[in-house]
Amino acid sequence: MTLESRFAPNEIEPRLYAGWENAGGFACDPESNAQPFTIMIPPPNVTGSLHMGHALTFTVQDTLVRWRRMQGRDALWQPGTDHAGIATQMVVERLLAAEGLDRRTMGREAFVDRVWRWKAESGGAITTQLRRLGASLDWPRERFTMDDGLSAAVKETFVKLYSEGLIYRDRRLVNWDPKLQTAISDLEVENREIKGSLWYIRYPIEGEPGQFIIVATTRPETMLGDTAVAVHPDHPLYGGLIGKRAVLPLVGRSIPIVGDDYADPEKGTGAVKITPAHDFNDFEVGRRHDLPMPSVLDRQAMVTLAEIEDALVSVAGVADPAFVRTLAGQARFAARAAIVAELERLELLEKIEPHTNQVPHGDRGGVPVEPLLTTQWYCNAGVLAKPAIEAVESGRTVFVPKQWENTFFAWMRDIQPWCISRQLWWGHRIPAWYGPDGTVFVAKDADGAAAQARAHYGRDEALTQDEDVLDTWFSSGLWPFSTLGWPEKTRELDRYYPGDVLVTGFDIIFFWVARMMMLGLHMMGDVPFRTIYIHGLVRDEKGQKMSKSKGNVIDPLELIDTYGADALRFTICALTGPGRDVKLGASRVENYRGFVTKLWNAARFCEMNGMRPEAGFDPASVRLPLSRWLLDSANTAITEATTALEAYRFDEYAAAGYRFVWNTFCDWFLELSKPLLAEGADPADAAEIKRVGAHVLGLILRLLHPAIPFVTEELWDHFGYGETFSLIGAAWPEVVPVPDASDARVELDWVVRLIGLVRSVRNEMNVPPSKPSPVLLQGASAAMLGRVDRWMDAIRRLARASDVLPLSGDVPKGSAQAVLEEVTIVLPLEGLIDIAAERARLSKERDKLAADAKKTRQKLENADFVKRAPEEVVAENRERLAAAESEIARLQAALDRLG
């Protein structure tokens, strides 16, 4: 059966993927003697679906894994999903609400059971979608962060860290989501630009009638909890007030005026109100100055007076306890309006200015987050961070690109205690139990806690388990070893830990990478991975971040449906360079689908011309210059591709494959081989060209398989290079000796450049393809003329040359010229084009582009534009200028050719 005229991804991809999976093509082999290669998947949320960020990171990982398998490594790419506490709980709560149910009326046990049922029925759709992308994960080893084995690892770690004093309870500020009613991590907070106001409030100086210190605030509703006013010690106006006291408006409480560098003399008035229970920076000021920390907003973000009731004092014209009591139970923003109105009535409001600031919102709840003083479980990240810092400093783990080490160090060296508790029902419940007097017993299970309590009290006592669950990042921080069976001593753990490489985005260096480093080193005594490859973000074609509000979100599944997984994967590889974001759009994927089509069509040409793999073919046996040139070029492509993958240069790997396939193999080898395959050609020459063509096609399929696995496997199987579905395990191509490679390279490269130059000149001069032109060579040596003679048929056909002759006299009038080494290539154009009109056309195009380039250059030279314009707009203008300058140079070169 011959190849179809077109490659049909939607028909072929599901069959091939099922074939690989059923044949065990993705499986590692713990009993193997081969060198292991391990990548741990960043576990996507069980609620998630494939987005472009996933498509990027999993394409990169799969490319590495397939390449290492072909090199003979025992590759483990461990799949799995994260239970995603908040996200999953929200999904199920929405489903319950649609049924008229509420988790609180159901109770915890029934609700958690419902979540498990949802997970079994609907969770993990992303694992199916990863198959669509071609991700060759070892599916029988799939893990879930709440599997029994991983849950055992979580309890083991918690108990150990608690016993070492590295996990403890503390009362500190947390990001509190009033809608979801839980503490959330920094990663779950997104800052939104909000147009609001800056209120300037007069705080009377105690004992100095008519004297005030003016503070500026964006949050007047929290002033009920102020316990100080801070001033920079060097403040020219207010520095003398340090040590005095102010009267807190509305409340009437006397509060100190303290000196602290936190107060910025350049912002607002240079004096700031300090509300330690409702601002992270104020909390630190409060600790430095030993200030009280009363909360005035509760967990619903309503005003509560419980902690300031005793501090309400009536001060004429300044404070009225009766008014403050009316605020109790009001929502924060309603209370804000009432407080501002009362300050205005009391003439304590100096002024109001429009103010735009970044307001933190819960990324899932969607409401402004409140800093809230609560008692939570914490992990001493400062102690755990030190070995992780040392591991990167010493090179035990390296970042690629290296500059991300600085980001890692900056955060790790200033790391804060890690709040690990969450007020949710779905997740790893904290293994802590409380006795009747509040004594805490931490154990792996209830029986262990009961035994501790019995020893403590001398009798059995009823214990209550902590209601909170652990931060999702705690369990995912154990992922590199919990998925391998730890705390059990398994053969997988011994063989595959530490992993070779972690592939992830820079946005979770702090939240996941750092936690894996800290927990891996502490629990396992070694780093979890030797290399951390950090890729950029996927943006749209203009460089803008994808968002639903902009309407520029691209669905990778739609791209796969339209263009095939190979086209999307190759596009991602081609655009993924070190330290840069990926600008991706449907048009780019469509363009690279052309590459997949080119490969398919080249294979069809090979098949139609009898190029079939031949057992025992020896590349060293070839004698034709064209054969030697192709094999030598293949060696270069192999070296470039291997070097690129070793350096995580996926763009260079894709470029090496693209150049060799499209240019060398398709555009030149196949074209130059046609006369040797034609009827009447030397049978021995034809036989050799068929053997070489088939050999190199097989090499190409192996070289490209990591990036475009489907089309390469389909062709591999069709041509019979190996057993069905075997390309995934075929050997990575290696460089082979080629006899007289240098001579062949010199000759063929010269012929290729000659034809390319003639084509380029004809194209620049708008010579119609239907009009062959003579090609004259001035200054050609006898050796060069010999090459021309040997390749005359190909030069005439491919360069559209009526003849190729040496030129000894003057250059004919109206000729275009180009230089190849010491030879001047002359193309007489008289009678082929209107030379004057062509000169005018080229000049007009050049001048128009030059004018446009000037405007763009002036814009970029404007410092104000570069500073204020969005980064993607500046980048787009720079690209436009570079493209214009390149085209201007090309047009000028064409004019110069005309003399």
Side-chain angles (χ1 to χ4, degrees):
M1 186 175 69
T2 59
L3 279 175
E4 296 291 335
S5 60
R6 52 181 286 275
F7 177 59
N10 293 339
E11 300 170 15
I12 291 170
E13 289 173 358
R15 171 175 56 78
L16 291 179
Y17 194 91
W20 287 322
E21 192 171 355
N22 294 335
F26 307 153
C28 69
D29 180 8
E31 302 299 328
S32 169
N33 292 323
Q35 183 183 357
F37 176 78
T38 310
I39 286 187
M40 289 293 172
I41 188 177
N45 287 356
V46 70
T47 59
S49 59
L50 195 71
H51 56 62
M52 284 309 309
H54 291 133
L56 167 59
T57 193
F58 293 129
T59 293
V60 166
Q61 290 174 65
D62 194 47
T63 299
L64 287 173
V65 168
R66 288 178 181 268
W67 168 54
R68 291 299 191 186
R69 276 198 202 100
M70 296 178 77
Q71 286 188 319
R73 302 281 290 271
D74 173 30
L76 168 62
W77 190 17
Q78 182 100 41
T81 50
D82 190 284
H83 66 277
I86 292 178
T88 305
Q89 182 156 322
M90 284 182 65
V91 166
V92 178
E93 285 201 64
R94 280 198 295 266
L95 293 173
L96 291 173
E99 300 170 16
L101 299 174
D102 181 86
R103 70 177 170 93
R104 293 167 187 83
T105 58
M106 293 175 66
R108 183 171 193 145
E109 186 175 343
F111 175 75
V112 170
D113 181 66
R114 180 62 182 270
V115 180
W116 275 110
R117 279 192 285 135
W118 172 87
K119 193 263 179 185
E121 296 164 5
S122 308
I126 193 168
T127 59
T128 300
Q129 295 166 346
L130 284 172
R131 288 170 164 89
R132 295 280 315 279
L133 187 66
S136 59
L137 290 145
D138 195 344
W139 292 112
R141 295 182 178 275
E142 184 176 355
R143 297 292 181 265
F144 178 54
T145 48
M146 285 185 61
D147 285 347
D148 288 344
L150 276 69
S151 295
V154 167
K155 293 172 186 174
E156 180 85 14
T157 303
F158 189 97
V159 171
K160 177 176 170 61
L161 294 177
Y162 179 80
S163 70
E164 295 171 344
L166 295 174
I167 282 180
Y168 56 93
R169 281 165 63 80
D170 196 7
R171 184 171 170 80
R172 297 174 60 93
L173 279 188
V174 295
N175 296 307
W176 184 265
D177 190 313
K179 181 177 179 181
L180 300 179
Q181 290 292 288
T182 181
I184 59 176
S185 72
D186 290 341
L187 184 63
E188 294 156 328
V189 174
E190 60 180 28
N191 287 312
R192 300 181 187 175
E193 192 173 88
I194 302 295
K195 292 182 178 179
S197 299
L198 193 61
W199 289 272
Y200 290 77
I201 305 170
R202 300 188 186 107
Y203 284 43
I205 304 300
E206 188 176 58
E208 299 182 19
Q211 299 301 309
F212 302 91
I213 184 169
I214 300 172
V215 303
T217 181
T218 60
R219 301 208 63 195
E221 68 273 17
T222 65
M223 68 182 293
L224 305 179
D226 287 1
T227 54
V229 173
V231 174
H232 194 281
D234 298 330
H235 194 288
L237 180 61
Y238 292 146
L241 297 177
I242 294 171
K244 296 186 178 184
R245 301 183 73 83
V247 178
L248 177 59
L250 308 184
V251 175
R253 181 170 67 246
S254 171
I255 58 176
I257 299 172
V258 299
D260 198 284
D261 290 346
Y262 166 62
D264 186 346
E266 304 297 322
K267 288 185 178 179
T269 65
V272 292
K273 69 187 202 64
I274 301 300
T275 322
H278 295 286
D279 183 277
F280 286 98
N281 291 313
D282 291 6
F283 178 77
E284 296 301 327
V285 175
R287 292 211 303 184
R288 285 197 290 273
H289 296 276
D290 198 24
L291 300 174
M293 299 187 178
S295 293
V296 294
L297 295 174
D298 64 15
R299 295 188 174 204
Q300 286 78 36
M302 304 284 193
V303 173
T304 174
L305 305 180
E307 296 185 28
I308 66 165
E309 178 71 40
D310 295 342
L312 296 178
V313 180
S314 180
V315 180
V318 176
D320 179 4
F323 165 76
V324 175
R325 291 188 180 100
T326 66
L327 300 174
Q330 288 195 35
R332 50 186 165 171
F333 299 125
R336 174 188 291 182
I339 286 170
V340 169
E342 181 67 3
L343 290 170
E344 199 157 23
R345 187 186 72 78
L346 295 171
E347 297 184 350
L348 294 176
L349 192 62
E350 175 80 8
K351 62 179 178 177
I352 304 173
E353 288 181 348
H355 182 73
T356 299
N357 66 327
Q358 299 289 325
V359 177
H361 285 64
D363 67 347
R364 298 192 184 278
V367 300
V369 167
E370 279 296 336
L372 191 69
L373 194 57
T374 63
T375 299
Q376 303 278 353
W377 287 92
Y378 286 88
C379 182
N380 190 333
V383 170
L384 295 177
K386 290 177 182 176
I389 293 169
E390 188 279 330
V392 176
E393 287 176 335
S394 65
R396 290 167 66 196
T397 293
V398 298
F399 278 83
V400 178
K402 189 175 175 61
Q403 67 258 28
W404 288 111
E405 290 180 1
N406 297 327
T407 303
F408 176 80
F409 289 142
W411 190 71
M412 294 290 273
R413 288 169 179 159
D414 190 36
I415 198 168
Q416 300 301 305
W418 171 18
C419 176
I420 58 174
S421 48
R422 296 291 181 268
Q423 289 64 56
L424 302 170
W425 284 358
W426 172 245
H428 294 282
R429 195 164 176 181
I430 289 178
W433 286 260
Y434 300 93
D437 59 356
T439 302
V440 181
F441 303 99
V442 171
K444 296 176 189 176
D445 53 33
D447 290 343
Q452 290 180 26
R454 195 177 304 116
H456 176 76
Y457 293 115
R459 61 187 179 277
D460 287 331
E461 288 284 0
L463 302 180
T464 304
Q465 187 174 359
D466 197 303
E467 292 288 322
D468 290 352
V469 301
L470 283 163
D471 176 15
T472 293
W473 296 106
F474 190 90
S475 52
S476 59
L478 308 177
W479 186 257
F481 51 96
S482 64
T483 51
L484 297 173
W486 185 89
E488 300 296 324
K489 295 184 182 299
T490 65
R491 60 182 181 178
E492 287 84 359
L493 187 66
D494 182 60
R495 180 167 174 78
Y496 300 114
Y497 187 94
D500 289 85
V501 61
L502 173 73
V503 176
T504 189
F506 63 80
D507 50 332
I508 56 172
I509 291 176
F510 312 144
F511 306 102
W512 188 48
V513 177
R515 283 157 171 69
M516 286 190 290
M517 288 286 287
M518 292 189 291
L519 292 171
L521 281 159
H522 194 80
M523 304 306 293
M524 294 293 296
D526 200 353
V527 294
F529 20 74
R530 302 301 186 197
T531 300
I532 302 169
Y533 172 70
I534 301 293
H535 57 69
L537 299 177
V538 182
R539 298 180 179 271
D540 70 10
E541 285 178 291
K542 295 181 179 179
Q544 298 184 78
K545 191 172 181 179
M546 292 185 186
S547 70
K548 291 179 181 177
S549 61
K550 292 179 181 176
N552 63 347
V553 174
I554 300 173
D555 183 349
L557 295 172
E558 291 182 3
L559 293 175
I560 291 171
D561 287 339
T562 306
Y563 305 110
D566 286 330
L568 175 59
R569 290 169 61 109
F570 198 80
T571 304
I572 288 170
C573 285
L575 300 179
T576 301
R580 72 168 186 244
D581 290 340
V582 173
K583 296 181 183 178
L584 190 143
S587 63
R588 288 181 180 264
V589 182
E590 184 177 18
N591 289 340
Y592 281 111
R593 181 182 62 177
F595 176 67
V596 175
T597 301
K598 187 80 168 179
L599 176 60
W600 185 264
N601 290 338
R604 290 186 68 232
F605 176 91
C606 291
E607 182 180 48
M608 289 186 289
N609 285 277
M611 296 184 190
R612 284 284 182 178
E614 185 178 294
F617 170 72
D618 180 8
S621 67
V622 300
R623 54 185 180 77
L624 296 173
L626 181 58
S627 301
R628 288 183 272 121
W629 174 77
L630 179 64
L631 291 169
D632 181 63
S633 300
N635 282 342
T636 300
I638 293 166
T639 300
E640 290 175 346
T642 306
T643 301
L645 288 173
E646 286 171 346
Y648 302 96
R649 288 301 304 263
F650 300 94
D651 53 344
E652 292 182 357
Y653 160 63
Y658 189 100
R659 279 194 305 270
F660 181 64
V661 173
W662 195 297
N663 299 336
T664 304
F665 189 72
C666 296
D667 285 357
W668 295 112
F669 171 73
L670 294 184
E671 289 296 331
L672 293 172
S673 71
K674 286 178 180 178
L676 300 172
L677 296 170
E679 188 176 348
D682 186 326
D685 291 353
E688 178 175 300
I689 289 297
K690 290 177 183 179
R691 288 195 296 270
V692 169
H695 172 77
V696 173
L697 177 61
L699 183 153
I700 286 169
L701 300 180
R702 286 185 286 152
L703 198 68
L704 294 176
H705 178 74
I708 49 174
F710 291 108
V711 67
T712 51
E713 181 70 70
E714 181 70 3
L715 294 173
W716 180 269
D717 294 352
H718 179 84
F719 276 81
Y721 285 100
E723 296 295 323
T724 306
F725 310 124
S726 67
L727 177 54
I728 194 169
W732 181 251
E734 295 183 353
V735 170
V736 296
V738 178
D740 300 322
S742 178
D743 291 344
R745 183 168 56 249
V746 169
E747 175 153 326
L748 267 297
D749 283 353
W750 190 88
V751 171
V752 164
R753 282 184 290 150
L754 172 66
I755 294 170
L757 268 174
V758 174
R759 283 176 168 177
S760 177
V761 172
R762 285 177 57 90
N763 185 56
E764 288 172 357
M765 301 304 159
N766 271 346
V767 178
S770 60
K771 294 184 177 180
S773 57
V775 175
L776 306 178
L777 303 180
Q778 187 178 54
S781 66
M784 291 175 179
L785 292 174
R787 288 176 196 160
V788 170
D789 188 56
R790 286 191 292 276
W791 296 96
M792 182 64 79
D793 288 345
I795 295 171
R796 283 175 173 160
R797 179 167 51 86
L798 298 176
R800 308 295 297 164
S802 57
D803 209 344
V804 185
L805 300 167
L807 174 65
S808 55
D810 295 334
V811 173
K813 184 180 178 182
S815 295
Q817 300 177 49
V819 175
L820 174 60
E821 296 176 6
E822 67 269 31
V823 179
T824 300
I825 301 169
V826 179
L827 269 71
L829 299 176
E830 286 286 355
L832 295 176
I833 61 170
D834 184 331
I835 295 175
E838 189 58 29
R839 186 180 284 112
R841 180 188 70 82
L842 292 168
S843 297
K844 183 178 179 181
E845 285 188 27
R846 180 200 58 191
D847 294 345
K848 181 179 182 300
L849 272 173
D852 291 343
K854 182 179 179 182
K855 291 177 184 177
T856 305
R857 192 179 297 107
Q858 288 173 340
K859 192 183 292 185
L860 290 169
E861 288 171 352
N862 183 334
D864 194 50
F865 166 77
V866 174
K867 181 180 179 182
R868 295 180 182 276
E871 183 182 336
E872 61 268 17
V873 173
V874 176
E876 187 179 350
N877 275 272
R878 286 188 174 128
E879 289 174 8
R880 186 186 303 141
L881 178 60
E885 288 175 339
S886 175
E887 182 63 8
I888 290 167
R890 187 192 70 79
L891 292 167
Q892 185 58 54
L895 281 164
D896 293 342
R897 292 191 206 283
L898 286 172

PDB file of all heavy atoms in Angstrom, residues 471-487:
ATOM      1  N   ASP A 471      -1.583  23.066  53.037  1.00  0.00           N
ATOM      2  CA  ASP A 471      -1.372  23.761  51.763  1.00  0.00           C
ATOM      3  C   ASP A 471      -1.003  22.734  50.691  1.00  0.00           C
ATOM      4  O   ASP A 471      -0.192  21.831  50.914  1.00  0.00           O
ATOM      5  CB  ASP A 471      -0.232  24.770  51.950  1.00  0.00           C
ATOM      6  CG  ASP A 471       0.166  25.488  50.685  1.00  0.00           C
ATOM      7  OD1 ASP A 471      -0.590  25.456  49.700  1.00  0.00           O
ATOM      8  OD2 ASP A 471       1.256  26.098  50.684  1.00  0.00           O
ATOM      9  N   THR A 472      -1.625  22.878  49.527  1.00  0.00           N
ATOM     10  CA  THR A 472      -1.353  21.954  48.410  1.00  0.00           C
ATOM     11  C   THR A 472       0.137  21.861  48.107  1.00  0.00           C
ATOM     12  O   THR A 472       0.644  20.802  47.725  1.00  0.00           O
ATOM     13  CB  THR A 472      -2.120  22.421  47.155  1.00  0.00           C
ATOM     14  OG1 THR A 472      -3.516  22.274  47.397  1.00  0.00           O
ATOM     15  CG2 THR A 472      -1.739  21.608  45.943  1.00  0.00           C
ATOM     16  N   TRP A 473       0.870  22.969  48.273  1.00  0.00           N
ATOM     17  CA  TRP A 473       2.296  22.963  47.939  1.00  0.00           C
ATOM     18  C   TRP A 473       3.100  22.086  48.899  1.00  0.00           C
ATOM     19  O   TRP A 473       4.224  21.691  48.577  1.00  0.00           O
ATOM     20  CB  TRP A 473       2.847  24.390  47.955  1.00  0.00           C
ATOM     21  CG  TRP A 473       2.214  25.242  46.901  1.00  0.00           C
ATOM     22  CD1 TRP A 473       1.293  26.225  47.086  1.00  0.00           C
ATOM     23  CD2 TRP A 473       2.425  25.170  45.489  1.00  0.00           C
ATOM     24  NE1 TRP A 473       0.920  26.768  45.883  1.00  0.00           N
ATOM     25  CE2 TRP A 473       1.600  26.143  44.890  1.00  0.00           C
ATOM     26  CE3 TRP A 473       3.232  24.384  44.674  1.00  0.00           C
ATOM     27  CZ2 TRP A 473       1.552  26.342  43.519  1.00  0.00           C
ATOM     28  CZ3 TRP A 473       3.194  24.583  43.301  1.00  0.00           C
ATOM     29  CH2 TRP A 473       2.363  25.551  42.744  1.00  0.00           C
ATOM     30  N   PHE A 474       2.533  21.756  50.055  1.00  0.00           N
ATOM     31  CA  PHE A 474       3.257  20.880  50.977  1.00  0.00           C
ATOM     32  C   PHE A 474       3.368  19.472  50.391  1.00  0.00           C
ATOM     33  O   PHE A 474       4.456  18.885  50.347  1.00  0.00           O
ATOM     34  CB  PHE A 474       2.537  20.842  52.332  1.00  0.00           C
ATOM     35  CG  PHE A 474       3.319  20.160  53.420  1.00  0.00           C
ATOM     36  CD1 PHE A 474       4.185  20.885  54.227  1.00  0.00           C
ATOM     37  CD2 PHE A 474       3.195  18.800  53.654  1.00  0.00           C
ATOM     38  CE1 PHE A 474       4.922  20.265  55.232  1.00  0.00           C
ATOM     39  CE2 PHE A 474       3.920  18.168  54.659  1.00  0.00           C
ATOM     40  CZ  PHE A 474       4.785  18.905  55.453  1.00  0.00           C
ATOM     41  N   SER A 475       2.256  18.941  49.912  1.00  0.00           N
ATOM     42  CA  SER A 475       2.294  17.591  49.337  1.00  0.00           C
ATOM     43  C   SER A 475       3.007  17.585  47.990  1.00  0.00           C
ATOM     44  O   SER A 475       3.753  16.648  47.680  1.00  0.00           O
ATOM     45  CB  SER A 475       0.885  17.022  49.190  1.00  0.00           C
ATOM     46  OG  SER A 475       0.038  17.904  48.494  1.00  0.00           O
ATOM     47  N   SER A 476       2.815  18.641  47.175  1.00  0.00           N
ATOM     48  CA  SER A 476       3.491  18.660  45.874  1.00  0.00           C
ATOM     49  C   SER A 476       4.989  18.904  46.041  1.00  0.00           C
ATOM     50  O   SER A 476       5.783  18.559  45.159  1.00  0.00           O
ATOM     51  CB  SER A 476       2.882  19.707  44.944  1.00  0.00           C
ATOM     52  OG  SER A 476       2.955  20.997  45.493  1.00  0.00           O
ATOM     53  N   GLY A 477       5.395  19.457  47.183  1.00  0.00           N
ATOM     54  CA  GLY A 477       6.822  19.611  47.465  1.00  0.00           C
ATOM     55  C   GLY A 477       7.525  18.280  47.698  1.00  0.00           C
ATOM     56  O   GLY A 477       8.744  18.189  47.592  1.00  0.00           O
ATOM     57  N   LEU A 478       6.751  17.238  48.005  1.00  0.00           N
ATOM     58  CA  LEU A 478       7.311  15.900  48.219  1.00  0.00           C
ATOM     59  C   LEU A 478       7.287  15.059  46.944  1.00  0.00           C
ATOM     60  O   LEU A 478       7.746  13.910  46.945  1.00  0.00           O
ATOM     61  CB  LEU A 478       6.507  15.170  49.305  1.00  0.00           C
ATOM     62  CG  LEU A 478       6.292  15.900  50.633  1.00  0.00           C
ATOM     63  CD1 LEU A 478       5.410  15.067  51.554  1.00  0.00           C
ATOM     64  CD2 LEU A 478       7.610  16.212  51.311  1.00  0.00           C
ATOM     65  N   TRP A 479       6.727  15.609  45.883  1.00  0.00           N
ATOM     66  CA  TRP A 479       6.442  14.869  44.651  1.00  0.00           C
ATOM     67  C   TRP A 479       7.622  14.054  44.104  1.00  0.00           C
ATOM     68  O   TRP A 479       7.452  12.895  43.717  1.00  0.00           O
ATOM     69  CB  TRP A 479       5.927  15.859  43.610  1.00  0.00           C
ATOM     70  CG  TRP A 479       5.449  15.279  42.326  1.00  0.00           C
ATOM     71  CD1 TRP A 479       6.110  15.263  41.136  1.00  0.00           C
ATOM     72  CD2 TRP A 479       4.177  14.660  42.072  1.00  0.00           C
ATOM     73  NE1 TRP A 479       5.344  14.665  40.159  1.00  0.00           N
ATOM     74  CE2 TRP A 479       4.156  14.293  40.718  1.00  0.00           C
ATOM     75  CE3 TRP A 479       3.077  14.372  42.861  1.00  0.00           C
ATOM     76  CZ2 TRP A 479       3.065  13.656  40.128  1.00  0.00           C
ATOM     77  CZ3 TRP A 479       1.982  13.737  42.285  1.00  0.00           C
ATOM     78  CH2 TRP A 479       1.986  13.385  40.930  1.00  0.00           C
ATOM     79  N   PRO A 480       8.853  14.591  44.056  1.00  0.00           N
ATOM     80  CA  PRO A 480       9.947  13.829  43.429  1.00  0.00           C
ATOM     81  C   PRO A 480      10.266  12.507  44.120  1.00  0.00           C
ATOM     82  O   PRO A 480      10.830  11.612  43.489  1.00  0.00           O
ATOM     83  CB  PRO A 480      11.136  14.794  43.517  1.00  0.00           C
ATOM     84  CG  PRO A 480      10.521  16.146  43.616  1.00  0.00           C
ATOM     85  CD  PRO A 480       9.285  15.948  44.431  1.00  0.00           C
ATOM     86  N   PHE A 481       9.926  12.372  45.416  1.00  0.00           N
ATOM     87  CA  PHE A 481      10.226  11.100  46.076  1.00  0.00           C
ATOM     88  C   PHE A 481       8.990  10.379  46.593  1.00  0.00           C
ATOM     89  O   PHE A 481       8.967   9.160  46.671  1.00  0.00           O
ATOM     90  CB  PHE A 481      11.265  11.280  47.198  1.00  0.00           C
ATOM     91  CG  PHE A 481      10.967  12.373  48.193  1.00  0.00           C
ATOM     92  CD1 PHE A 481      10.349  12.078  49.396  1.00  0.00           C
ATOM     93  CD2 PHE A 481      11.346  13.686  47.945  1.00  0.00           C
ATOM     94  CE1 PHE A 481      10.098  13.074  50.333  1.00  0.00           C
ATOM     95  CE2 PHE A 481      11.098  14.692  48.870  1.00  0.00           C
ATOM     96  CZ  PHE A 481      10.472  14.390  50.073  1.00  0.00           C
ATOM     97  N   SER A 482       7.918  11.118  46.910  1.00  0.00           N
ATOM     98  CA  SER A 482       6.702  10.434  47.359  1.00  0.00           C
ATOM     99  C   SER A 482       6.116   9.583  46.237  1.00  0.00           C
ATOM    100  O   SER A 482       5.547   8.514  46.484  1.00  0.00           O
ATOM    101  CB  SER A 482       5.661  11.452  47.845  1.00  0.00           C
ATOM    102  OG  SER A 482       5.235  12.295  46.791  1.00  0.00           O
ATOM    103  N   THR A 483       6.273  10.031  44.993  1.00  0.00           N
ATOM    104  CA  THR A 483       5.744   9.269  43.855  1.00  0.00           C
ATOM    105  C   THR A 483       6.533   7.986  43.604  1.00  0.00           C
ATOM    106  O   THR A 483       6.066   7.109  42.879  1.00  0.00           O
ATOM    107  CB  THR A 483       5.790  10.130  42.575  1.00  0.00           C
ATOM    108  OG1 THR A 483       7.101  10.676  42.430  1.00  0.00           O
ATOM    109  CG2 THR A 483       4.776  11.251  42.635  1.00  0.00           C
ATOM    110  N   LEU A 484       7.718   7.897  44.184  1.00  0.00           N
ATOM    111  CA  LEU A 484       8.565   6.707  44.001  1.00  0.00           C
ATOM    112  C   LEU A 484       8.434   5.720  45.162  1.00  0.00           C
ATOM    113  O   LEU A 484       9.199   4.763  45.251  1.00  0.00           O
ATOM    114  CB  LEU A 484      10.025   7.135  43.836  1.00  0.00           C
ATOM    115  CG  LEU A 484      10.323   7.986  42.595  1.00  0.00           C
ATOM    116  CD1 LEU A 484      11.762   8.492  42.622  1.00  0.00           C
ATOM    117  CD2 LEU A 484      10.057   7.203  41.316  1.00  0.00           C
ATOM    118  N   GLY A 485       7.465   5.978  46.042  1.00  0.00           N
ATOM    119  CA  GLY A 485       7.187   5.018  47.099  1.00  0.00           C
ATOM    120  C   GLY A 485       7.647   5.403  48.482  1.00  0.00           C
ATOM    121  O   GLY A 485       7.335   4.706  49.450  1.00  0.00           O
ATOM    122  N   TRP A 486       8.422   6.482  48.619  1.00  0.00           N
ATOM    123  CA  TRP A 486       8.860   6.913  49.954  1.00  0.00           C
ATOM    124  C   TRP A 486       7.634   7.207  50.812  1.00  0.00           C
ATOM    125  O   TRP A 486       6.642   7.715  50.298  1.00  0.00           O
ATOM    126  CB  TRP A 486       9.718   8.181  49.803  1.00  0.00           C
ATOM    127  CG  TRP A 486      10.333   8.645  51.099  1.00  0.00           C
ATOM    128  CD1 TRP A 486      11.532   8.265  51.605  1.00  0.00           C
ATOM    129  CD2 TRP A 486       9.757   9.568  52.031  1.00  0.00           C
ATOM    130  NE1 TRP A 486      11.753   8.895  52.804  1.00  0.00           N
ATOM    131  CE2 TRP A 486      10.671   9.700  53.089  1.00  0.00           C
ATOM    132  CE3 TRP A 486       8.560  10.289  52.095  1.00  0.00           C
ATOM    133  CZ2 TRP A 486      10.429  10.517  54.189  1.00  0.00           C
ATOM    134  CZ3 TRP A 486       8.308  11.100  53.191  1.00  0.00           C
ATOM    135  CH2 TRP A 486       9.239  11.213  54.220  1.00  0.00           C
ATOM    136  N   PRO A 487       7.619   6.859  52.103  1.00  0.00           N
ATOM    137  CA  PRO A 487       8.780   6.510  52.941  1.00  0.00           C
ATOM    138  C   PRO A 487       9.242   5.057  52.877  1.00  0.00           C
ATOM    139  O   PRO A 487      10.171   4.687  53.590  1.00  0.00           O
ATOM    140  CB  PRO A 487       8.287   6.868  54.353  1.00  0.00           C
ATOM    141  CG  PRO A 487       6.815   6.724  54.302  1.00  0.00           C
ATOM    142  CD  PRO A 487       6.405   7.124  52.911  1.00  0.00           C
TER     143      PRO A 487
END
